[in-house]
Amino acid sequence: VNSYKRLVAGQEAPSYICWGQNNRSAMVRVPMWKPNKPSSARIELRSLDTSANPYLAFALILNAGLSGIENAMELPEPAEDDVWSLTPRQRRALGIKPLPSSLEEAVAAMEASELVASTLGDHVYDFFLRNKRAEFEEYARQVTPLELRNLLPSL
């Protein structure tokens, strides 16, 4: 649940679904490379944090890439502006959507993805969803010090 607290505009972690070259606000960044040095070409996927299961994450990343190739999906235009500084209207006009801002939103997105279900298989998919729903439900039942400090006096 804490992974989503880092997805705030203007921080280091990207909070919108887009790609760009040399764009620190992009979820996928394609840094400049040296044409005479092919080994310098790379991409950076900046949305994962250290709490992700690397085996599941890389299986999904690779299968999503293969699916994009097999289905000849068009790559959207790169986001070259600082995505964080754009207004919501500007982001919508560019087709830039936000990443899930909570574990609850991420679980809903996962449930809607046939690619995730087919990549992980029924057993892992169902087990993962069940555990993440339970994690979020436990989190949602907690009363935080912030809530106590700011809301209790008004009762």
Side-chain angles (χ1 to χ4, degrees):
V1 292
N2 284 331
S3 295
Y4 299 90
K5 292 182 179 184
R6 67 190 181 84
L7 301 179
V8 178
Q11 299 298 319
E12 279 296 312
S15 46
Y16 295 96
I17 302 168
C18 62
W19 77 278
Q21 297 173 322
N22 295 321
N23 184 343
R24 300 291 302 166
S25 65
M27 183 179 92
V28 176
R29 190 169 91 94
V30 182
M32 293 300 290
W33 65 92
K34 297 175 181 141
N36 58 346
K37 190 176 178 187
S39 64
S40 69
R42 67 185 196 282
I43 65 167
E44 298 173 359
L45 176 62
R46 303 182 61 248
S47 56
L48 297 176
D49 82 350
T50 57
S51 68
N53 178 313
Y55 303 105
L56 298 181
F58 285 116
L60 290 164
I61 292 164
L62 291 171
N63 202 26
L66 288 171
S67 176
I69 293 167
E70 290 168 354
N71 295 310
M73 295 176 75
E74 287 292 320
L75 191 63
E77 290 297 314
E80 296 306 335
D81 295 324
D82 177 0
V83 179
W84 295 313
S85 66
L86 298 174
T87 66
R89 172 180 264 171
Q90 290 170 319
R91 283 191 291 270
R92 277 192 304 275
L94 294 170
I96 298 173
K97 297 177 181 173
L99 285 167
S101 62
S102 70
L103 180 58
E104 181 179 41
E105 286 182 23
V107 166
M110 185 177 171
E111 286 176 312
S113 173
E114 186 58 40
L115 183 121
V116 174
S118 66
T119 302
L120 299 181
D122 291 339
H123 178 72
V124 173
Y125 178 76
D126 292 339
F127 180 83
F128 190 87
L129 282 174
R130 186 172 51 252
N131 282 313
K132 290 302 170 182
R133 273 192 221 103
E135 181 181 341
F136 182 77
E137 288 166 7
E138 181 181 355
Y139 172 76
R141 286 192 298 270
Q142 303 300 312
V143 177
T144 67
L146 175 72
E147 292 167 314
L148 291 172
R149 184 176 65 247
N150 293 344
L151 302 175
L152 190 59
S154 66
L155 296 178

